[in-house]
C-alpha cells in the first residue's frame, strides 16, 4: 500500500476505536440487503420508490423514514468507493474487498441482531471489522462536516417532494370543489364585515391559486436544495483529487455546491430558511382558510357544515357538534409556523460552523415538513368533508345590504348618473332600511323613488326621477344578479370561475409532472450508483 494511504488507514482505524454500536428498529421499507434487492434500472428504482410513497406517522412518507442517516451512510460509502476507485485513490486490488465491506455494513442491518448506527464512525467500524483496516480508505478526503449536510439535503429532497405531493392533493380538492360551486353564491368579508357577494368557486380558486404559487416556490428552491456538499471535506476541500461532480451525480444531485466553506457551513442556514419559510407561508394560509370555515360554526344556522360523522359531541352539552377536524388542522398549522420560527431562532446570532442551525427543520427536531405534509393532508380532508348549503348562504346574503354598491354602479353604467350621486342614494337607502328593519327584498320602491329625488336635489342634478323601474331596482339588489353580471379577468362570475378552473388544472398537472420528473431523476441516480457499485463487488 502507498505509505500515505497506509497512514490514513491506521489513523482512521484508531479514531474508530471501540465506539459502541446501538441496535435500532429498522424503518419500514429499509430493504432486504444491497446485493439481493437493490435496483439497477431507473424503472425498477422508481417502482421501489413509488411503493414507499405512503403516509407514515412521524415522517412525510415511508420512503422518507426509510432514508434515515444509516441509509445515507451506506449510499455515501457506496458513492465514495466508486469515485475513489475511479480516481485511483483506492488501489484496484482493494476496491473489491472495500466494496464488500460496505455491502456487509448495509446488509447486516437487515438480519437478526442487526446494528443500524447513527454515527458514521460506528458504521465504518462495522466495515473494517469485516474487511480490515484498509477499508478505512473509504473516508479519504471527507468528514462528518460534508457527509451530514449531504445526507440532510438528501432527506430534505424527499420531504420536499412529499410536501409538494400533499400540496397538490389539497389543490386538486379545492379545484374540484370550485368547479362544483361556480354557481354557489356566498358572502365575502372585508374588515370582518360582510362586503359583497361572490361565488364560492371564486373563493376556492383564490386559495388554489395561492397554493399554486407555493408550488412554484418549491420548484425554484429545488435548484438550491439539490446541490451536493460531498467532497468539500471539513470546509476547505482536501489534498486528494476528489471528483466532486461525480459524487454529486452518483447521489442524485444536480451538481456540487461550489464553494467548499459555503457547502458545509453557510448553505445549511439559508437553504433551510428558504424552504421552511415556504412551509410557513402555506401554514399561515391554511390557518386562515380553516378559520374562515370555522367561523361559520359561530352561527346557529351555518351555511358550511361537516359531513355526518366528522364532528364529535360535547361531554356535557348534547346539542353540540364540535368541528374537531377543523380545530386540529388549524392547530397543526400553528405548529408548522412555530417550527419555522424555531429554525429561524436556531440560526440567529450563531457563528458559522456550529451545529445549532444545521438540522433544526428535520424530522428529529422541528419536523417542519412532517407536520406540514400532515397539515396539508388534513386540510384536504376538511375541505372534502364540507357540505355547502347554497340556499342558506344566499339567505345570508339577502339578509344584508351587500349589493348596495351595485345600485350606484348600475345608475352610472346604464344611466350616466355620476357615481357620487348614486353612492349617496344607495347609502341613504341602507340607512333608512336599517332604521326600519327592512331587508333588500322588502324595501318599498316608493321610498327608493323619494330618496333618489332628495339625492338629486342635494347634488343639483337636472333629472331627479329614479331611472330604474321597480323590476330593475329589485334585480339590481339581487346577490345572484350582482355575481353573474361581473366582468373581467378573475371575477366571481361562473364563466370566469370555470375558465380559472381549467387554467388551475393545467398548472396542477404541470406541477405533478415536475414532481414525477424529480422522483425519476432520483431513481435514475440510485440505479446508476447501484450499477457502478455492483461492478466493484465483482473485483
Amino acid at each position: 500500500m502507498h505509505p500515505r494511504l497506509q497512514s490514513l488507514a491506521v489513523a482512521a482505524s484508531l479514531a474508530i476505536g471501540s465506539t459502541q454500536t446501538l441496535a435500532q428498529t429498522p424503518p419500514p421499507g429499509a430493504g432486504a440487503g444491497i446485493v439481493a434487492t437493490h435496483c439497477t434500472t431507473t424503472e425498477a428504482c422508481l417502482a421501489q420508490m413509488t411503493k414507499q410513497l405512503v403516509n407514515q406517522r412521524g415522517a412525510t412518507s415511508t420512503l422518507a423514514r426509510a432514508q434515515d442517516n444509516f441509509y445515507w451512510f451506506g449510499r455515501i460509502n457506496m458513492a465514495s468507493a466508486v469515485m475513489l476507485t475511479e480516481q485511483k485513490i483506492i488501489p484496484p486490488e482493494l476496491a473489491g474487498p472495500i466494496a464488500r465491506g460496505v455491502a456487509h455494513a448495509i446488509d447486516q442491518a437487515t438480519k437478526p441482531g442487526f446494528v443500524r448506527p447513527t454515527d458514521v464512525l460506528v458504521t465504518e467500524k462495522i466495515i473494517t471489522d469485516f474487511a480490515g483496516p484498509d477499508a478505512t480508505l473509504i473516508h479519504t478526503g471527507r468528514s462528518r462536516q460534508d457527509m451530514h449536510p449531504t445526507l440532510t439535503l438528501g432527506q430534505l429532497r424527499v420531504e420536499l417532494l412529499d410536501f409538494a405531493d400533499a400540496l397538490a392533493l389539497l389543490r386538486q380538492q379545492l379545484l374540484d370543489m370550485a368547479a362544483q360551486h361556480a354557481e354557489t353564491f356566498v358572502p365575502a368579508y372585508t374588515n370582518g364585515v360582510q362586503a359583497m357577494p361572490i361565488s364560492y368557486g371564486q373563493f376556492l380558486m383564490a386559495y388554489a391559486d395561492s397554493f399554486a404559487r407555493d408550488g412554484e416556490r418549491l420548484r425554484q428552491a429545488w435548484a438550491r436544495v439539490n446541490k451536493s456538499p460531498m467532497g468539500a471535506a471539513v470546509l476547505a476541500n482536501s489534498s486528494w483529487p476528489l471528483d466532486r461532480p461525480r459524487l454529486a451525480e452518483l447521489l442524485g444531485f444536480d451538481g456540487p455546491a461550489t464553494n467548499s466553506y459555503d457547502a458545509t457551513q453557510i448553505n445549511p442556514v439559508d437553504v433551510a430558511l428558504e424552504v421552511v419559510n415556504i412551509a410557513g407561508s402555506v401554514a399561515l394560509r391554511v390557518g386562515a382558510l380553516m378559520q374562515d370555515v370555522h367561523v361559520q360554526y359561530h352561527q346557529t344556522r351555518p351555511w358550511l357544515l361537516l359531513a355526518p360523522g366528522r364532528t364529535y359531541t360535547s361531554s356535557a352539552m348534547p346539542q353540540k357538534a364540535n368541528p374537531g377536524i377543523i380545530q386540529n388542522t388549524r392547530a397543526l398549522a400553528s405548529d408548522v409556523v412555530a417550527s419555522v420560527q424555531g429554525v429561524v431562532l436556531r440560526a440567529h446570532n450563531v457563528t458559522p460552523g456550529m451545529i445549532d442551525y444545521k438540522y433544526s427543520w428535520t424530522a428529529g427536531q422541528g419536523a417542519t415538513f412532517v407536520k406540514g405534509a400532515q397539515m396539508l393532508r388534513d386540510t384536504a380532508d376538511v375541505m372534502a368533508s364540507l357540505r355547502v348549503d347554497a340556499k342558506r348562504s344566499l339567505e345570508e346574503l339577502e339578509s344584508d345590504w351587500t349589493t348596495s354598491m351595485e345600485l350606484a354602479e348600475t345608475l352610472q353604467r346604464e344611466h350616466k348618473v355620476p357615481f357620487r350621486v348614486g353612492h349617496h342614494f344607495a347609502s341613504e337607502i341602507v340607512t333608512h332600511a336599517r332604521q326600519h328593519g327592512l331587508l333588500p327584498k322588502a324595501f318599498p320602491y316608493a321610498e327608493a323613488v323619494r330618496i333618489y329625488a332628495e339625492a338629486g336635489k342635494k347634488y343639483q342634478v337636472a333629472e331627479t326621477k329614479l331611472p330604474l323601474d321597480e323590476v330593475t331596482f329589485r334585480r339590481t339588489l339581487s346577490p345572484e344578479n350582482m355575481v353573474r353580471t361581473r366582468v373581467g379577468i378573475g371575477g366571481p362570475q361562473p364563466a370566469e370561475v370555470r375558465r380559472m378552473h381549467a387554467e388551475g388544472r393545467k398548472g396542477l398537472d404541470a406541477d405533478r409532472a415536475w414532481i414525477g420528473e424529480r422522483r425519476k431523476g432520483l431513481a435514475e441516480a440510485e440505479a446508476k450508483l447501484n450499477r457502478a457499485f455492483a461492478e466493484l463487488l465483482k473485483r
Side-chain angles (χ1 to χ4, degrees):
M1 182 189 298
H2 189 284
R4 187 175 181 191
L5 294 179
Q6 186 174 27
S7 66
L8 176 64
V10 172
S13 181
L14 290 173
I16 294 173
S18 59
T19 308
Q20 185 177 4
T21 59
L22 299 174
Q24 301 176 347
T25 303
I34 185 169
V35 178
T37 64
H38 274 219
C39 50
T40 57
T41 68
T42 302
E43 292 73 18
C45 289
L46 191 58
Q48 278 188 13
M49 183 184 297
T50 302
K51 287 180 182 178
Q52 294 175 279
L53 294 179
V54 294
N55 296 350
Q56 174 66 43
R57 189 174 182 84
T60 56
S61 66
T62 304
L63 177 67
R65 189 177 178 207
Q67 293 193 5
D68 60 1
N69 284 15
F70 177 78
Y71 166 88
W72 275 102
F73 292 159
R75 301 305 291 178
I76 290 171
N77 282 335
M78 290 168 64
S80 293
V82 170
M83 183 276 294
L84 291 170
T85 300
E86 292 173 348
Q87 292 297 104
K88 298 183 171 48
I89 296 171
I90 290 179
E93 67 274 14
L94 293 180
I98 291 175
R100 285 186 283 278
V102 171
H104 165 74
I106 297 170
D107 286 342
Q108 61 81 35
T110 68
K111 298 172 182 177
F114 71 92
V115 177
R116 197 175 184 89
T118 58
D119 187 333
V120 67
L121 293 184
V122 179
T123 302
E124 194 168 307
K125 188 174 188 304
I126 297 171
I127 297 171
T128 56
D129 284 349
F130 181 86
D134 283 338
T136 57
L137 297 177
I138 198 76
H139 202 61
T140 302
R142 74 184 193 189
S143 163
R144 284 193 187 100
Q145 294 289 331
D146 62 342
M147 294 180 71
H148 277 274
T150 300
L151 72 86
T152 303
L153 286 173
Q155 292 165 340
L156 178 57
R157 291 185 312 201
V158 174
E159 293 199 4
L160 275 183
L161 293 177
D162 291 343
F163 185 84
D165 271 332
L167 185 63
L169 176 68
L170 175 56
R171 288 167 61 189
Q172 178 177 322
Q173 178 62 40
L174 293 171
L175 287 167
D176 290 347
M177 293 178 70
Q180 180 184 355
H181 292 290
E183 300 192 46
T184 299
F185 307 110
V186 301
Y189 300 82
T190 60
N191 300 304
V193 179
Q194 190 175 145
M196 293 178 67
I198 61 172
S199 57
Y200 199 47
Q202 186 198 25
F203 172 87
L204 295 165
M205 281 303 310
Y207 275 98
D209 288 348
S210 170
F211 293 135
R213 292 194 292 275
D214 294 307
E216 181 180 10
R217 293 180 182 108
L218 287 171
R219 295 195 307 273
Q220 293 169 343
W222 183 267
R224 291 172 284 281
V225 169
N226 206 34
K227 294 290 185 180
S228 170
M230 201 62 219
V234 176
L235 48 77
N237 290 344
S238 74
S239 60
W240 297 96
L242 305 184
D243 188 344
R244 292 190 62 206
R246 178 62 166 157
L247 285 171
E249 175 189 24
L250 292 170
L251 295 171
F253 291 91
D254 294 331
T258 305
N259 185 302
S260 60
Y261 188 87
D262 176 34
T264 60
Q265 309 306 329
I266 308 300
N267 180 286
V269 180
D270 72 280
V271 169
L273 285 172
E274 178 180 7
V275 294
V276 299
N277 273 292
I278 296 172
S281 175
V282 173
L284 288 172
R285 274 164 289 123
V286 164
L289 175 60
M290 291 299 97
Q291 181 68 358
D292 196 275
V293 173
H294 197 189
V295 76
Q296 286 292 314
Y297 283 80
H298 298 177
Q299 299 191 25
T300 54
R301 294 177 58 234
W303 55 267
L304 285 177
L305 291 167
L306 289 169
R310 301 316 310 273
T311 59
Y312 69 93
T313 58
S314 165
S315 62
M317 295 161 282
Q319 84 282 3
K320 293 189 72 180
N322 295 320
I325 60 172
I326 299 174
Q327 295 171 172
N328 294 341
T329 302
R330 192 179 63 195
L332 189 52
S334 297
D335 290 342
V336 173
V337 173
S339 76
V340 173
Q341 297 311 305
V343 174
V344 172
L345 291 173
R346 286 288 292 269
H348 174 254
N349 207 26
V350 177
T351 57
M354 303 300 286
I355 200 171
D356 307 47
Y357 56 82
K358 291 184 176 180
Y359 315 110
S360 50
W361 61 268
T362 59
Q365 294 195 24
T368 303
F369 292 100
V370 174
K371 294 172 182 175
Q374 188 61 52
M375 169 195 73
L376 289 169
R377 290 190 289 263
D378 288 356
T379 305
D381 182 37
V382 169
M383 300 309 291
S385 300
L386 286 184
R387 299 296 179 264
V388 183
D389 187 339
K391 290 183 178 179
R392 175 68 188 97
S393 65
L394 185 59
E395 178 186 314
E396 183 79 3
L397 283 167
E398 291 174 339
S399 67
D400 203 351
W401 285 85
T402 53
T403 57
S404 59
M405 187 179 75
E406 182 64 8
L407 278 177
E409 290 197 347
T410 299
L411 288 168
Q412 179 185 9
R413 186 179 63 248
E414 297 183 8
H415 300 282
K416 306 297 188 263
V417 175
F419 177 78
R420 193 53 56 197
V421 176
H423 186 276
H424 178 77
F425 163 64
S427 178
E428 288 297 306
I429 279 187
V430 172
T431 299
H432 181 87
R434 286 179 172 163
Q435 288 173 347
H436 296 85
L438 298 170
L439 296 181
K441 279 187 174 182
F443 193 88
Y445 178 70
E447 283 298 314
V449 171
R450 179 187 65 78
I451 291 171
Y452 185 81
E454 292 178 356
K457 290 177 183 177
K458 176 179 174 65
Y459 283 92
Q460 299 178 347
V461 296
E463 178 57 66
T464 59
K465 179 182 178 183
L466 178 62
L468 305 178
D469 61 28
E470 184 169 359
V471 172
T472 305
F473 173 75
R474 301 211 178 280
R475 183 174 66 244
T476 302
L477 290 177
S478 160
E480 180 177 348
N481 175 76
M482 185 170 176
V483 173
R484 291 189 184 279
T485 56
R486 299 303 90 184
V487 296
I489 295 173
Q493 63 270 32
E496 181 60 11
V497 169
R498 294 186 179 101
R499 187 198 66 80
M500 290 189 290
H501 171 266
E503 291 298 313
R505 287 299 315 208
K506 289 178 185 177
L508 176 58
D509 290 345
D511 278 5
R512 281 180 159 158
W514 180 88
I515 296 168
E517 286 299 314
R518 301 291 82 71
R519 292 201 191 276
K520 183 179 178 182
L522 296 181
E524 183 177 358
E526 183 177 2
K528 183 179 294 185
L529 175 53
N530 290 344
R531 290 194 302 269
F533 188 74
E535 291 301 313
L536 295 186
L537 291 173
K538 296 175 184 178
R539 297 193 180 192

